[in-house]
Amino acid sequence: MHTVAIVALDGVVPFDLSIPTEVFGRVRLPDGSAGYEVRVCGVTPDVHAGAFRVKTHHGLGALARADTIVLPGTSDVSVPVPPRLLKALRAAARRGTRIASICSGAFILAATGLLDGQRATTHWLGAEELARRHPAIQVDPNVLYVDNGQLLTSAGAAAGLDLCLHLVRMDHGASVAADAARMAVMPLERDGGQSQFIAHAPPSPEGASLEPLLRWMEDHLHRPLTLQALARKAAMSERTLSRRFREQTGTTPLQWLLRARVRRAQHLLEATGRSVEAVAEAVGFGSPTTFREHFQRFVTTSPLAYRRAFRGGQRLSAGGRSAPPPPGAPRRTRAAS
């Protein structure tokens, strides 16, 4: 039987711990037998898990007998990973054991060095910090999970469900995975990516020299704004404006404008009943087709799919909670949400 070892450290996020425990623990094969043997392992037998404590039945020795190891997220990624766990994970990787992380569990996996030179993801709130700590990792904050073959990482909270169901499908086929998805009351594959959950912060700090221009642009997104018009408004040459934009926002005036229009469109799709065509016109896109193309590019789902998921004025976070503050090509990446 395929053995899954789930590592519970002090500060483990209960939801992240429960996802693989429930998904793998409830998988049944066509003959009715269990698809996995699930073992929760700890560096110590008594684990702090926020509002309660967890008693683990297995120590790190169980990792040596596991086919898959799952690393749930922890509430404080600044806490050093126990050296014993790092050693056990590296040894498991040498044996060919599959290792997957959920949410901020990517920080644990990254600490082993196994992700260096590979693509990975984590909760969008922690993506920047993961990239800062581990510059050898290509961190993608937009997808739900990344499958590099032996090593897999997922985004925050509910994205762990997507990753676990993906593993079930790889191990036992689509039919068994579909049954597991029905047990979890969620689709086997979801549309879109993590980017649709990201709350985009203002791109320039208060007091920056471009702040007045950026606020003016936000107020005039419906107008056909050209680089020439923006330079005239800022009282500087187009070349100087482009240079300062790059320095202060990290992008070009056009890309900033496109992102701002998509952000405004997201709000209108959530809070109003306007048609997609009316929303496109209200945020300054020349045509609905152009609007759909840019929306798909930045949000990784269609305007209609986004409205179905977020309509009602309630902006969802990635799984309803926050993560801790913040070149091998992947075999497969799911950009779904």
Side-chain angles (χ1 to χ4, degrees):
M1 184 182 296
H2 190 117
T3 301
V4 177
I6 305 166
V7 179
L9 293 178
D10 276 339
V12 66
V13 177
F15 189 58
D16 293 357
L17 177 61
S18 67
I19 287 173
T21 304
E22 285 294 297
V23 171
F24 294 118
R26 293 182 179 274
V27 170
R28 292 295 178 268
L29 303 183
D31 64 1
S33 63
Y36 299 90
E37 179 181 356
V38 178
R39 298 174 178 174
V40 177
C41 313
V43 177
T44 60
D46 187 60
V47 177
H48 294 268
F52 54 87
R53 303 170 77 91
V54 175
K55 295 285 188 179
T56 60
H57 294 305
H58 304 276
L60 294 183
L63 302 188
R65 301 181 294 276
D67 300 293
T68 296
I69 297 172
V70 180
L71 303 172
T74 57
S75 59
D76 186 355
V77 297
S78 67
V79 175
V81 181
R84 287 176 53 206
L85 175 57
L86 295 177
K87 182 178 179 180
L89 291 173
R90 293 179 184 125
R94 288 193 295 271
R95 292 190 298 270
T97 304
R98 185 171 63 187
I99 306 175
S101 66
I102 296 175
C103 195
S104 60
F107 285 83
I108 301 172
L109 187 53
T112 66
L114 297 172
L115 285 176
D116 288 357
Q118 300 204 47
R119 192 176 175 208
T121 192
T122 187
H123 191 296
W124 60 268
L125 280 174
E128 185 177 346
E129 177 65 10
L130 181 64
R132 186 191 67 80
R133 292 191 193 185
H134 303 280
I137 300 174
Q138 181 188 348
V139 179
D140 188 341
N142 295 318
V143 297
L144 284 182
Y145 60 81
V146 174
D147 179 351
N148 289 301
Q150 184 183 7
L151 305 175
L152 304 92
T153 54
S154 78
L161 281 165
D162 296 278
L163 176 60
C164 290
L165 291 171
H166 169 65
L167 293 176
V168 173
R169 180 171 49 191
M170 290 178 62
D171 295 336
H172 299 297
S175 178
V176 172
D179 286 341
R182 281 191 286 270
M183 288 293 294
V185 196
M186 71 170 291
L188 183 55
E189 293 190 16
R190 295 188 289 156
D191 294 328
Q194 190 180 188
S195 57
Q196 64 185 308
F197 298 94
I198 298 176
H200 295 276
S204 183
E206 294 288 332
S209 64
L210 287 180
E211 179 192 344
L213 177 63
L214 297 179
R215 294 189 182 281
W216 182 85
M217 291 170 66
E218 286 275 9
D219 292 337
H220 296 82
L221 294 176
H222 59 286
R223 294 176 53 179
L225 302 177
T226 64
L227 180 61
Q228 182 181 30
L230 295 175
R232 186 165 55 248
K233 178 67 179 179
M236 60 183 71
S237 69
E238 295 177 21
R239 184 174 181 178
T240 299
L241 176 63
S242 296
R243 176 172 53 81
R244 291 191 180 177
F245 235 90
R246 178 70 67 178
E247 291 172 351
Q248 295 184 31
T249 71
T251 189
T252 65
L254 175 59
Q255 289 302 308
W256 189 96
L257 187 61
L258 289 174
R259 288 184 179 275
R261 284 173 168 160
V262 169
R263 288 198 304 271
R264 178 69 57 80
Q266 287 177 278
H267 170 73
L268 293 176
L269 290 169
E270 295 170 28
T272 75
R274 298 187 193 183
S275 66
V276 170
E277 291 74 14
V279 169
E281 182 179 358
V283 299
F285 282 102
S287 72
T289 300
T290 301
F291 168 55
R292 290 187 178 95
E293 290 174 353
H294 287 299
F295 196 93
Q296 182 74 42
R297 173 187 166 197
F298 288 117
V299 190
T300 66
T301 191
S302 69
L304 285 178
Y306 183 86
R307 167 169 276 167
R308 285 195 297 269
F310 293 93
R311 183 66 194 278
Q314 294 183 347
R315 179 75 170 166
L316 300 182
S317 62
R321 62 175 176 80
S322 297
R331 185 179 68 186
R332 181 177 179 188
T333 300
R334 276 288 304 147
S337 176

